[in-house]
Amino acid sequence: MKEKLVLVGNGMAGVRALEELLKLAPDTYEITVFGEEPHPNYNRIMLSPVLAGEKTIDDIILNDAQWYKDNNITLHKGKKVETIDRLNQKVITADGLAVEYDRLIIGTGSQPIVLPLPGADLTGVLSFRDIADVDQMLDVSKKGKHAVVIGGGLLGLEAANGLMKQGMQVTVIHLMDRLMERQLDEKAALMLKKNLEESGMQFLMGAQTEAIIGKDRVEKVKMKDGSEIYTDLVVMAVGIRPNIELAKKARLHCVRGLVVNDTMQTYDPKIYAVGECVEHRGLTYGLVAPLFEMAKVCANHLAKLGIGLYQGSITSTKLKVTGIDLFSAGDFLGNENTEELVYQDESLGVYRKLIIEKDIVKGAVMYGDTVDGTWYFDLLRDQTNITDFRKTILFGQAHLGDSGHGEQDQVARLSDTSEICGCNGVCKGDIVDAIVKQKLFTLDDVRAHTKASSSCGSCTGLVESLLALTVGGDYSVAPHLKPMCGCTKFTHDEVRTTIKKQALKSVRAVMDFLEWDTDDGCSKCRPGMNYYLLCAWPEDNTDDYQSRFINERAHANIQKDGTYSVIPRMWGGETTPRELKALAEIAEKYEVPTVHVTGGQRIDFLGLKKETLPLIWGDLSKAGFVSGHAYGKAVRTVKTCVGKDWCRFGTQFSTQMGIDLEKLAWGSWMPHKFKLAVSGCPRNCAEATIKDFGVVAVDSGWELHVGGNGGVKVRATDFLCSVKTSEEVKEYCAAFMQLYREQAHYLERTAPWIERVGLSFVKEKIVDDENERKQLQERFLLSQKYAQIDPWAERAKGMDAHEFAPIIKVG
Amino acid sequence: MESANSQKTHSGEWLKIGSVNDIPKLGARVVQTGEYDIAVFRTAADTIFALRDECPHKQGPLSQGIVQGDRVACPLHDWKINLESGNAVAPDVGCTATFPVKIENNTVFLSLQANEGCPNKQTT
Ligand code: SRM
Ligand SMILES: Cc1cc2nc3c(=O)[nH]c(=O)nc-3n(C[C@H](O)[C@H](O)[C@H](O)COP(=O)(O)OP(=O)(O)OC[C@H]3O[C@@H](n4cnc5c(N)ncnc54)[C@H](O)[C@@H]3O)c2cc1C
Ligand code: SF4
Ligand code: FES
């Protein structure tokens, strides 16, 4: 028999937990839901646009009656649970309905605070919390003209804005002298107030209400200073408190909220709690993003997967008032240990302030133009060291040389048919549609449902902006130290350190030691662990064959029709007639469908059947070719120009340098692909300044550049240093490669890696510290001893034969 | 691709394809039938599954994917396909035909008669 799961509170967090649970374990529980409100589950956030007349109630229903039916969930609408009988494991409603549970989720949300003023119980005095409140406000707005909102915080201002949109004259009474004092600093608050005043809102700042006066319904509000305001409606929006009445009555441990542990269990392990009613590690939350994180963890635990812990969230805020752009996150006021970076343009109405401590972003306030909010928020969450772009950080991310899409980043202005994800051909309209219809709130959701941003990932920023724009305000808050993938709670760095410390030597051993949450890991974490192992133990690591992507197993690139491509090395992009002849003969012999000159200065045979690979490799080996690793997270090509050999501007022998570097570097496995180039003079014909390691010859020697790439997000290199001799170029190159190999996360190319750790860090290790550089170089050379074995020659001789042959042929 | 006069094996007949050890753990081997390929998978627990070697998304060869638990990640665009049912894992939708397999004395037998249930089981 199925276990019984009961949810008290048909709200955003609780139902979200059910949705997550149904995804993981659809058949585990017989589910019953109690909701005090007479509605199915709806998007409470969107009450503001409903009040403003921009949306209807129908638009904001998240799960209609059919959804409950489809998922076999019994829904009791309009029924309040009065008692939880923990001894007999049942919940009892006001009208005596009792339902048993094996597990219980409490998601009772919070209650608006009602100021204990005389007259607070008069008709026409409302809160702003649910559909009933909005209905009443809309009702009054049709008859009355004047409204008073008590509270100049987020909710109060959204209420005031909505009521104004309904044609009322609104006065906001605020106790403090700064609006939204929990999210904004003085400057931003003033700009906000000015903008709202321009739209007709009136304010009484630093003002205290004394009483609400009226016969049966509100007529006026009396202030402490004796003044009076005539009004038809009073909305109190002075804060919320966790709704823990029911929990307290059931003697569950509560402080400010209902106390839960990291798996969202209360002191009674059969009872979980999620949402605003919860107190976790001493904190309560009032925004949906953290609640969704809670819901995920809770569902996971209920599904008995036991994966994932909730570790708290950092939140950010936006105001959902059309035409007003503000953003706030983290510690936006700072203290004596922090510094402020401020950008301000009165006439454009733009203001940005970042709070920095030891070159780490601690908080942000933005007003007027908030496009970069998501970026600052990422920097904050990831604790990125900003030393290297401190000077330009206030101008936003587009300023960092992310050239391709600068204009496009203004997602709001894009048309529905503009393509956001080029890899999967997903347009803005598709994404917005999916977000709205499928109720997506996180980047992962959007990836799963639309495929946008799920391939090369370069449109991630755009998708995040679209999410922020569509969902309004807060969408997803990833814990700032991201686990490697859904199979574990450990981060890349933790996995790496553990491999070293515990001397773990196989993927299985890592998963066992770190108690991986899935049986076999997944296509994200296994290749990563395999790489970390071979990087940590070059001498005695056993490669985990099944943890490699097909390209690295087959040592060729899989194509869309399941055939493969073969790209041999052409050292430094130089070749000879003899080599070309050999290639031509081999291509003819195997009837290669396409021969293409690649963007990496070498020749690609496309359209080969897998069974043919070892044969063609045998012939290539005989002709002196080795694998070009065009398929691997490995060293790819070294592009060169002709340089001093021929070119009238050439200052050094760049081709020979390229060949030397390729001989040094080939065969090395890397966190991501790694490309090099050498140009003979600053005209830079080999495009060295968009390579992972680029060398530009100058009269006095060589300039070394790092961290560039082409691709969708072109990034020009950072200048590392100049050196005099060829030997030095090789030494620095080896050291740089090893540093990247040891430090970067798997699938993090040099560009994002350097942006994460900072160029200063790289310089410290490689330029400033000779000893460190030499050690890195040594470790690189050691690992190369085991890596520079041509995989093609081995396979031509019969290695891994099973990979290339069918088990049997029938017919 | 196809041999001109490939002979069809009789439906329902068990075909001996090799020993369990011929298939790498967490990997797959391909059975070529002339008309289409069948991927035979082996999980960590040594369970064997057989699926038509075509991803419901864009016909990616599933045999070349990474096996994890009871599913395989397609090598082309990383859809996850359930090995037992042949169904794409939500939110992706679609399915690929599954074929009966049995193991006797460490030898794997396969039937070329696809299981019922997936519209993608056509043999043309
Ligand atoms: C074959 C080739 C195109 C060609 O015919 O010219 C090619 C083909 C592919 N590129 Fe490329 N890239 C090729 C040169 C380039 C270049 C030019 C270069 O190397 O100077 C670039 C820009 C430089 C750069 O990498 O920064 C380039 C930037 C990319 C990117 C974007 C990388 C980025 O960091 O943003 C990807 C996507 C990725 O790796 O995730 C990519 C991915 C791919 C993949 C691997 C896509 C895939 O996953 O299947 C293609 C494999 C086709 C195949 O089976 O061979 N390819 N690709 C070129 C092979 C070069 C070689 O000899 O090895
Ligand atoms: C107007 C407005 C605008 C907002 N804007 C934003 C925003 O832009 N961004 C953001 O992140 N957040 C916003 N929020 C906050 C967000 O809506 C809440 O954080 C979220 O809804 C809380 O979810 P919950 O499930 O904890 O509580 P709720 O969604 O309140 O659900 C709790 C439910 O439990 C029911 N209940 C309580 N007790 C019982 C009982 N004993 N028996 C049965 N049922 C019971 C209640 O009736 C309620 O329906 C806004 C809130 C409001 C009101
Ligand atoms: S070769 Fe590169 S640019 Fe061309 S389609 Fe493939 S990934 Fe895109
Ligand atoms: S073909 Fe399998 S995921 Fe696209």
Side-chain angles (χ1 to χ4, degrees):
Chain A
M1 215 175 66
K2 285 194 199 173
E3 288 181 75
K4 297 190 192 70
L5 175 67
V6 171
L7 166 64
V8 180
N10 189 26
M12 294 192 73
V15 175
R16 180 65 167 203
L18 294 185
E19 288 179 330
E20 297 277 358
L21 176 64
L22 291 169
K23 268 196 257 169
L24 296 172
D27 301 319
T28 313
Y29 295 98
E30 186 187 316
I31 304 173
T32 308
V33 178
F34 288 94
E36 192 178 352
E37 294 182 67
H39 307 282
N41 174 240
Y42 63 91
N43 188 348
R44 195 172 304 284
I45 301 181
M46 288 297 162
L47 287 178
S48 300
V50 169
L51 180 63
E54 291 160 3
K55 285 208 155 56
T56 67
I57 294 291
D58 281 347
D59 291 339
I60 69 166
I61 297 296
L62 289 172
N63 293 301
D64 56 14
Q66 192 60 39
W67 177 84
Y68 292 88
K69 244 188 234 145
D70 291 347
N71 290 290
N72 295 318
I73 298 173
T74 314
L75 171 63
H76 296 289
K77 289 189 294 192
K79 278 204 195 299
K80 179 172 181 184
V81 172
E82 281 285 321
T83 315
I84 301 172
D85 176 353
R86 284 167 56 197
L87 205 62
N88 299 307
Q89 288 181 221
K90 52 187 176 188
V91 298
I92 303 156
T93 64
D95 51 4
L97 176 63
V99 173
E100 288 179 5
Y101 65 83
D102 296 303
R103 310 255 181 150
L104 176 67
I105 309 176
I106 298 182
T108 45
S110 46
Q111 277 171 333
I113 294 174
V114 178
L115 296 173
L117 299 174
D121 53 353
L122 286 171
T123 311
V125 181
L126 300 172
S127 303
F128 186 21
R129 180 71 195 172
D130 52 28
I131 291 185
D133 294 330
V134 172
D135 281 346
Q136 287 191 60
M137 283 191 236
L138 290 174
D139 204 41
V140 178
S141 74
K142 287 193 191 97
K143 302 168 218 152
K145 250 193 102 44
H146 297 275
V148 164
V149 174
I150 306 182
L154 193 94
L155 267 190
L157 295 180
E158 289 189 5
N161 174 64
L163 292 168
M164 263 184 4
K165 288 271 161 63
Q166 298 301 335
M168 298 188 89
Q169 275 180 19
V170 184
T171 308
V172 175
I173 300 174
H174 196 47
L175 188 60
M176 308 288 170
D177 44 21
R178 174 153 50 93
L179 290 177
M180 289 179 69
E181 73 280 355
R182 290 174 58 193
Q183 287 92 13
L184 297 184
D185 67 350
E186 200 178 335
K187 182 75 210 168
L190 277 175
M191 292 174 85
L192 172 64
K193 181 160 168 272
K194 185 168 152 251
N195 277 173
L196 290 172
E197 275 169 346
E198 279 163 8
S199 70
M201 210 178 279
Q202 288 171 345
F203 292 95
L204 285 179
M205 303 298 286
Q208 213 171 337
T209 321
E210 187 170 272
I212 300 170
I213 296 166
K215 269 208 202 80
D216 3 275
R217 52 171 306 121
V218 51
E219 287 163 19
K220 57 190 178 184
V221 173
K222 186 167 176 225
M223 307 302 297
K224 273 258 157 71
D225 67 5
S227 60
E228 292 181 341
I229 312 165
Y230 284 87
T231 188
D232 304 297
L233 174 70
V234 173
V235 179
M236 281 197 202
V238 290
I240 53 173
R241 72 164 71 91
N243 183 1
I244 50 175
E245 204 184 325
L246 179 68
K248 269 190 178 155
K249 211 167 123 191
R251 309 180 125 259
L252 288 165
H253 178 57
C254 297
V255 186
R256 252 190 321 150
L258 171 51
V259 177
V260 295
N261 62 13
D262 287 359
T263 48
M264 305 317 293
Q265 282 161 301
T266 64
Y267 274 65
D268 178 341
K270 292 198 164 53
I271 304 183
Y272 296 74
V274 290
E276 285 184 344
C277 59
V278 157
E279 175 171 331
H280 173 264
R281 297 191 186 177
L283 294 176
T284 57
Y285 292 96
L287 294 167
V288 294
L291 311 186
F292 287 172
E293 300 275 332
M294 293 178 193
K296 214 180 211 158
V297 173
C298 172
N300 214 292
H301 210 264
L302 282 168
K304 296 172 190 167
L305 298 175
I307 311 181
L309 297 176
Y310 180 66
Q311 322 214 23
S313 307
I314 306 175
T315 54
S316 67
T317 314
K318 290 187 177 184
L319 184 70
K320 299 188 301 298
V321 170
T322 310
I324 290 197
D325 261 340
L326 70 78
F327 175 88
S328 149
D331 170 10
F332 58 93
L333 292 176
N335 53 46
E336 63 277 11
N337 299 321
T338 59
E339 316 162 69
E340 286 182 4
L341 301 181
V342 180
Y343 171 93
Q344 193 175 338
D345 186 330
E346 277 310 333
S347 59
L348 282 181
V350 175
Y351 171 72
R352 297 177 166 193
K353 181 174 86 176
L354 295 178
I355 301 290
I356 312 285
E357 188 177 339
K358 299 202 180 95
D359 278 332
I360 306 273
V361 177
K362 293 284 166 192
V365 185
M366 306 171 76
Y367 194 86
D369 173 6
T370 55
V371 172
D372 283 301
T374 27
W375 183 50
Y376 294 143
F377 195 45
D378 278 346
L379 294 176
L380 187 143
R381 274 184 343 207
D382 297 342
Q383 307 262 296
T384 306
N385 187 305
I386 62 155
T387 318
D388 300 309
F389 49 101
R390 232 186 112 111
K391 276 195 216 132
T392 54
I393 188 169
L394 284 171
F395 300 104
Q397 192 175 21
H399 213 80
L400 278 186
D402 151 25
S403 39
H405 290 259
E407 265 298 294
Q408 258 211 34
D409 281 345
Q410 314 281 359
V411 280
R413 276 173 235 154
L414 295 178
S415 74
D416 275 355
T417 53
S418 23
E419 192 168 81
I420 300 284
C421 173
C423 294
N424 297 300
V426 191
C427 299
K428 176 181 168 186
D430 304 334
I431 299 175
V432 173
D433 238 39
I435 294 173
V436 175
K437 294 216 180 96
Q438 323 247 17
K439 307 159 303 181
L440 310 180
F441 286 93
T442 68
L443 181 64
D444 279 345
D445 288 347
V446 176
R447 282 184 177 150
H449 282 268
T450 67
K451 296 287 160 208
S453 149
S454 65
S455 295
C456 78
S458 59
C459 60
T460 302
L462 289 176
V463 175
E464 287 192 316
S465 308
L466 265 182
L467 256 168
L469 196 77
T470 314
V471 179
D474 310 77
Y475 54 102
S476 93
V477 178
H480 66 210
L481 287 173
K482 291 173 197 133
M484 244 181 117
C485 69
C487 300
T488 178
K489 54 182 182 295
F490 294 103
T491 62
H492 283 270
D493 291 328
E494 286 165 343
V495 172
R496 283 200 107 152
T497 342
T498 312
I499 287 176
K500 270 274 180 193
K501 241 205 214 131
Q502 303 296 332
L504 303 175
K505 302 267 166 96
S506 73
V507 171
R508 200 40 84 183
V510 180
M511 295 199 293
D512 286 346
F513 187 84
L514 291 177
E515 299 181 347
W516 231 242
D517 295 324
T518 50
D519 289 340
D520 306 329
C522 71
S523 50
K524 284 210 176 65
C525 59
R526 253 164 56 204
M529 285 187 273
N530 190 44
Y531 168 73
Y532 293 151
L533 285 160
L534 75 80
C535 179
W537 316 113
E539 290 153 286
D540 60 350
N541 161 70
T542 34
D543 193 40
D544 184 3
Y545 194 72
Q546 295 306 145
S547 292
R548 288 201 178 253
F549 285 115
I550 180 57
N551 288 2
E552 293 186 359
R553 258 182 286 146
H555 290 273
N557 261 310
I558 194 165
Q559 305 294 322
K560 61 175 193 175
D561 59 355
T563 64
Y564 289 81
S565 72
V566 165
I567 309 184
R569 272 194 199 282
M570 203 166 255
W571 306 96
E574 193 161 84
T575 184
T576 60
R578 195 187 60 79
E579 271 187 0
L580 288 174
K581 248 191 229 160
L583 287 177
E585 274 161 18
I586 294 169
E588 278 187 338
K589 174 170 168 192
Y590 291 94
E591 296 174 355
V592 172
T594 298
V595 178
H596 186 254
V597 177
T598 72
Q601 291 189 335
R602 46 199 192 164
I603 285 174
D604 191 356
F605 292 168
L606 293 129
L608 291 154
K609 284 204 195 139
K610 203 177 181 189
E611 290 167 75
T612 319
L613 294 176
L615 305 175
I616 195 167
W617 291 340
D619 287 354
L620 286 167
S621 283
K622 265 183 239 142
F625 291 98
V626 300
S627 162
H629 293 88
Y631 47 79
K633 305 300 168 220
V635 170
R636 299 271 174 102
T637 63
V638 184
K639 273 169 110 161
T640 67
C641 70
V642 291
K644 198 173 171 180
D645 289 300
W646 297 100
C647 177
R648 64 202 163 103
F649 294 115
T651 61
Q652 309 281 352
F653 293 109
S654 48
T655 314
Q656 190 55 47
M657 174 55 80
I659 295 172
D660 291 352
L661 286 180
E662 193 161 356
K663 297 252 156 145
L664 166 80
W666 79 276
S668 180
W669 296 108
M670 296 296 222
H672 204 303
K673 59 180 167 191
F674 192 96
K675 300 177 177 180
L676 305 89
V678 187
S679 288
C681 84
R683 283 166 198 76
N684 193 14
C685 297
E687 298 161 344
T689 47
I690 55 157
K691 292 290 174 275
D692 298 278
F693 188 82
V695 182
V696 177
V698 287
D699 236 12
S700 57
W702 310 89
E703 285 180 350
L704 308 182
H705 300 259
V706 294
N709 64 224
V712 191
K713 265 198 179 175
V714 183
R715 183 182 194 271
T717 42
D718 293 314
F719 174 65
L720 185 69
C721 63
S722 302
V723 296
K724 294 242 155 23
T725 66
S726 321
E727 280 319 301
E728 283 172 296
V729 176
K730 283 184 253 176
E731 178 179 321
Y732 280 73
C733 177
F736 177 75
M737 288 177 62
Q738 188 64 11
L739 186 67
Y740 169 60
R741 295 181 79 229
E742 291 176 3
Q743 299 277 338
H745 299 165
Y746 192 64
L747 294 188
E748 184 177 43
R749 223 177 146 179
T750 53
W753 168 63
I754 285 187
E755 279 175 12
R756 181 166 63 82
V757 300
L759 178 67
S760 316
F761 169 82
V762 177
K763 278 188 170 162
E764 233 168 71
K765 303 272 175 191
I766 290 177
V767 185
D768 306 343
D769 188 340
E770 185 183 341
N771 192 26
E772 179 91 52
R773 178 173 70 241
K774 293 236 163 22
Q775 283 177 13
L776 281 163
Q777 179 195 23
E778 235 166 72
R779 290 205 290 279
F780 183 72
L781 295 178
L782 173 76
S783 76
Q784 284 299 77
K785 270 210 271 184
Y786 303 90
Q788 292 196 325
I789 301 164
D790 178 28
W792 287 358
E794 284 183 307
R795 280 155 188 80
K797 291 194 191 110
M799 186 173 167
D800 293 338
H802 74 272
E803 179 69 55
F804 303 97
I807 188 164
I808 52 163
K809 289 188 189 191
V810 189
Chain B
M1 275 267 198
E2 286 153 43
S3 57
N5 46 7
S6 63
Q7 278 197 319
K8 253 186 250 163
T9 328
H10 283 83
S11 50
E13 191 180 303
W14 288 107
L15 185 74
K16 182 172 149 185
I17 60 166
S19 100
V20 170
N21 298 331
D22 290 336
I23 308 166
K25 238 190 213 316
L26 292 178
R29 295 292 300 277
V30 172
V31 173
Q32 289 182 342
T33 70
E35 284 179 71
Y36 55 89
D37 289 352
I38 295 174
V40 186
F41 295 90
R42 176 174 168 198
T43 67
D46 286 339
T47 318
I48 307 287
F49 294 105
L51 258 62
R52 187 174 166 130
D53 198 11
E54 274 180 23
C55 177
H57 179 220
K58 291 189 175 170
Q59 290 79 52
L62 296 173
S63 55
Q64 316 293 298
I66 287 187
V67 177
Q68 49 198 76
D70 61 353
R71 45 183 79 163
V72 59
C74 176
L76 293 197
H77 316 97
D78 209 33
W79 280 29
K80 311 288 187 300
I81 310 298
N82 183 296
L83 294 173
E84 188 164 10
S85 64
N87 289 333
V89 174
D92 294 317
V93 281
C95 72
T96 191
T98 63
F99 294 83
V101 277
K102 64 173 182 179
I103 306 174
E104 275 168 15
N105 297 326
N106 215 33
T107 304
V108 183
F109 293 88
L110 168 75
S111 158
L112 297 185
Q113 170 100 3
N115 288 318
E116 291 299 315
C118 182
N120 178 30
K121 67 171 195 167
Q122 80 281 9
T123 42
T124 49

